[in-house]
Amino acid sequence: MSSEPAAVTISGVSQVFNPGRPNEVRALDHIDLTVATGEFITLIGPSGCGKSTLLRLIAALLPLTGGEVKVNGKQADQARLDRDYGMAFQKAGLFDWRTVARNIELPLELMGWSKTDRRRRAREMLDLVKLGDFAGNRPAELSGGMQQRVAIARALSFSPSLLLMDEPFGALDEMTREHMQAELLRIWAETATTVVFVTHSIPEAVFLSSRVVVMSPRPGRVADIISVDLGTRQETTRESEAFFKKVTEVREALRAVERLS
Amino acid sequence: MAAGGSQTIVEEQADNLVEEQRALQARGTTDRAKEFKAAARRVSVFAAFLGFLALLYSAYRALGRALDHAQADWPIIGSFLPRSDDLAMPPIGDIVAGIGATQRGTGRPLGLLIAGEALSTLREAAIGFVVGAVLGLAIAIVLERSRLLERGLLPYVIGSQTIPLVAIAPIVVIWAPQSLDGLPWTWTGWMSVSIITTYLTFFPVAVNGLRGLQSPRPEDVELMRSYAAGWLPTLWRLRLPASLPYLFAAFKIAATISVVGAIVGEISGGVNGGLGRRILLEAQRYTTGPERLYVAVLGAAATGILVFLVISLLERLAIRGQKGVL
């Protein structure tokens, strides 16, 4: 690895909601995690393990109550202000009063890009996610998978070095989901973006990432980190022996977590 | 290759999706023609409804007449039903003729006079509506900004509407010219009526606008925050567009009550030149021509319907492709 700072450095992060009140909740407990630049990492764990909370702390969408989160060597909030990351949620979250192209242009507008630059970039991004024909459509006219692709195009439109994804394919049917996973890996390879990806699905985590972070609930902790080395992913990868072995490994790690709690 | 098989299936699926969406796109071009047809249908339904009302009215008159004849035999039933003689319910023909009947003194038909008066009332209503809408939206934006202000001020906003209009109107008409004489223009009566319609408009706009500004999903707000967008860009690019369906629902309510409010304001404030004055006059000389009051009331109804239609049209222009709440 080069001497440039890691994409994400999480050190000693503990997150407490409603501190000092009767409904105080310790969501995260002493999390340490480093994500290398260009890496694809997934966070997996049962509900309530704080994986979404951890993602929101990297995005500086929540005030941090303990520890330190750095993105590209900067404090997370500074990275947010510098627009170092793009984000995609479980719901595509497209603005239905804007066309598909204008949804992708939204972050560019906020960054003061000129109209011609915005138009050109929106077109490039639509080609990247293979939706070139739908620039003028309304989000409501697109299928769930297509909407999610628009959301990814929007998140990547300003070429952030980091992409944060919170169960973006959670609401899609299985075939669309597998298709989207392949698409995401292709885009990841083409754009050389670092990805932190939250999911509930074990095969999804194994198929997508180079490392799977298994988290345990109440309070959220890192229980295990499983490296996945399956080479360049193809559709055959899903049916390979090595893939099943990794799926089993992650599943057993999750079972161990459940036994503990 | 085994992989080839599964990949093709996935791609075929994607192709099917693309085909489906193309069909949807093609459908979009015929939407305009469909919209026109739908509008034509609505107009004919409305006309049929008006005809039905006229029929009902005439049928009740006929029934009343029959009962009047029978009154000698059954006095109880005869006096129990609302009266339906020509004074209480002038025939439809008289009302229609009344629209064109020339008025003594002016030499112009009543319909034209009322149209002019409706225009005057419309001006009071429209100015008050615009000022009230701006004021209401400003209040909604301030209340959305601060939870504390929302809790502190909203009760007063609601409380302001508990004062009856007929009580406020004379106060405004007396108070406004005296208190606002520093203005660069001379204060005339109709401006006082506009204050009343402002007061009626700002409330639904403020309350509904606040709900609309608060309507974006938490993820939408998080998304804007992830782009490091501040309060103003978030307001302009997320909260305001999201609130448009709510605002237009409020505008429709506000526009129609502005017209009614302007008429009531004219009557209780003693302001001349509008529909309020006309209704008062025709009520006073009712016995010499009941159809004239009916014409005046129809004029008021038409004015209310007109402003509703104008707002609906604006709504269609402002929120294309977005589903309205009404």
Side-chain angles (χ1 to χ4, degrees), chain A residues 56 109 133 137 141 179, chain B residues 10 21-22 25 222 237:
Chain A
R56 275 169 175 71
E109 274 172 36
D133 291 341
N137 282 68
E141 295 164 350
H179 185 61
Chain B
V10 170
Q21 297 304 324
R22 289 236 170 85
Q25 270 180 324
E222 271 190 334
R237 293 206 158 76

Side-chain angles (χ1 to χ4, degrees), chain A residues 201-219:
Chain A
S201 159
I202 299 168
E204 180 166 86
V206 172
F207 186 74
L208 287 175
S209 51
S210 45
R211 282 193 300 160
V212 179
V213 178
V214 179
M215 295 181 68
S216 67
R218 285 171 285 273

